[in-house]
């Protein structure tokens, strides 16, 4: 990892500032660079809102896609106009997998402000240039304006240009970064339970037993169970929630062959609507 290469030691989360605190510090600092979050499966977007780092009433979310009609110039102009309006209001703009818009925002990301003083009020207005191809326009910038770019970690490492990456403060954000030490213990306990289930089924991996399972599944399930800390639950209650949830994700063959799994959901074959 980056930390091991630089400091010749393993990263210890207990001796370093929590990622959530670092992100909050950036969002609350008007002089900080714009923020890029490297994540997996787009999980950073729900984490930002779930932890209240971002609020719905002051955030504009723009999501990119690979559909042809979403990559033409008309759609791009529409998206940039939304950025322009958010700039003027001082809102936060979240760009999720939106590679085709970055070129228009280079001056914005560089924070190359032009300052103009109103002759009547004496107030100083900050301006930034938005560009589309050969056309550009100076736009006003309200206090508190911030861009947050969310990209898949592998995509950022392998495909994005280094000059673009250098324009941001970068943080890696996964669901496990939001968990407390006790909740991390629950993660380990549930994964051991899953390994027992996999062993009983004879299937080759956890992914072969629980549909859609990936690295962030257990941490995300914990955060959902406690509503990001807004619900008070004991560790045993959280584990019960998760075991039942994962039993719903299990393949029927796993439910048949694993006693450990079947005892968590004895009505599995009765309540699954797709079994007819």
């Amino acid at each position: 990892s980056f930390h091991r290469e630089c400091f010749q030691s393993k990263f210890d989360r207990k001796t370093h500032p929590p990622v959530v605190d670092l992100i909050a510090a950036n969002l609350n600092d008007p002089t900080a660079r714009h923020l890029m979050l490297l994540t997996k499966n787009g999980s950073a977007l729900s984490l930002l809102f779930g932890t209240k780092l971002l609020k719905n009433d002051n955030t504009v979310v723009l999501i990119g896609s690979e559909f042809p009609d979403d990559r033409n110039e008309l759609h791009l102009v529409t998206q940039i106009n939304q950025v322009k309006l958010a700039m003027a209001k001082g809102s936060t703009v979240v760009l999720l997998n939106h590679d085709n818009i970055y070129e228009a925002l280079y001056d914005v990301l560089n924070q190359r402000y032009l300052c103009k003083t109103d002759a009547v009020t004496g107030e100083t207005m900050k301006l930034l240039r938005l560009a589309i191809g050969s056309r550009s326009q100076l736009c006003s910038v309200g206090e508190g304006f911030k861009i947050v770019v969310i990209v898949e970690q592998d995509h950022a490492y392998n495909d994005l240009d280094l000059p673009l990456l250098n324009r941001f403060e970068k943080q890696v954000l996964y669901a496990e970064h939001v968990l407390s030490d006790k909740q991390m213990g629950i993660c380990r306990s549930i994964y051991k339970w899953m390994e027992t289930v996999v062993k009983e089924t004879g299937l080759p991996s956890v992914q072969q037993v629980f549909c859609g399972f990936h690295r962030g599944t257990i941490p995300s399930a914990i955060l959902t169970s406690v509503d990001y800390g807004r619900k008070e639950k004991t560790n045993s209650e959280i584990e019960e929630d998760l075991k039942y949830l994962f039993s719903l994700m299990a393949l029927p063959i796993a439910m048949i062959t694993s006693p450990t799994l079947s005892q968590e959901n004895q009505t599995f074959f009765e309540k699954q609507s797709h079994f007819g």
Side-chain angles (χ1 to χ4, degrees), residues 41-52 150 173 175 220 223 228:
N41 304 301
S43 61
L45 182 62
S46 59
L47 293 173
L48 287 172
F49 287 103
T51 55
K52 302 297 185 182
I150 299 175
L173 181 62
S220 296
L223 292 172
Y228 290 87

Side-chain angles (χ1 to χ4, degrees), residues 46 49-52 223 225-233:
S46 59
F49 287 103
T51 55
K52 302 297 185 182
L223 292 172
S225 176
V226 299
D227 192 19
Y228 290 87
R230 289 181 280 276
K231 291 181 181 178
E232 291 290 337
K233 291 186 178 181

Side-chain angles (χ1 to χ4, degrees), residues 59-70:
T59 304
V60 176
V61 179
L62 302 178
I63 301 176
S65 81
E66 295 299 321
F67 292 111
D69 287 346
D70 289 344

Side-chain angles (χ1 to χ4, degrees), residues 50-86:
T51 55
K52 302 297 185 182
L53 286 168
L54 294 180
K55 297 180 180 178
N56 290 317
D57 59 355
N58 194 40
T59 304
V60 176
V61 179
L62 302 178
I63 301 176
S65 81
E66 295 299 321
F67 292 111
D69 287 346
D70 289 344
R71 296 181 65 83
N72 61 34
E73 185 171 339
L74 176 60
H75 183 73
L76 181 60
V77 170
T78 302
Q79 299 275 280
I80 291 174
N81 278 334
Q82 289 185 263
V83 174
K84 175 183 174 181
L85 292 173

Side-chain angles (χ1 to χ4, degrees), residues 3 14-15 46 57 61 74 98 118-119 122 148 159 174 202 257:
H3 185 277
K14 294 181 180 179
T15 60
S46 59
D57 59 355
V61 179
L74 176 60
H98 218 320
D118 190 296
V148 179
D159 302 318
Y174 298 149
T257 56

Side-chain angles (χ1 to χ4, degrees), residues 115-126:
C115 294
K116 181 179 179 181
T117 302
D118 190 296
V120 178
T121 64
E123 294 182 355
T124 300
M125 178 186 299
K126 292 193 297 184

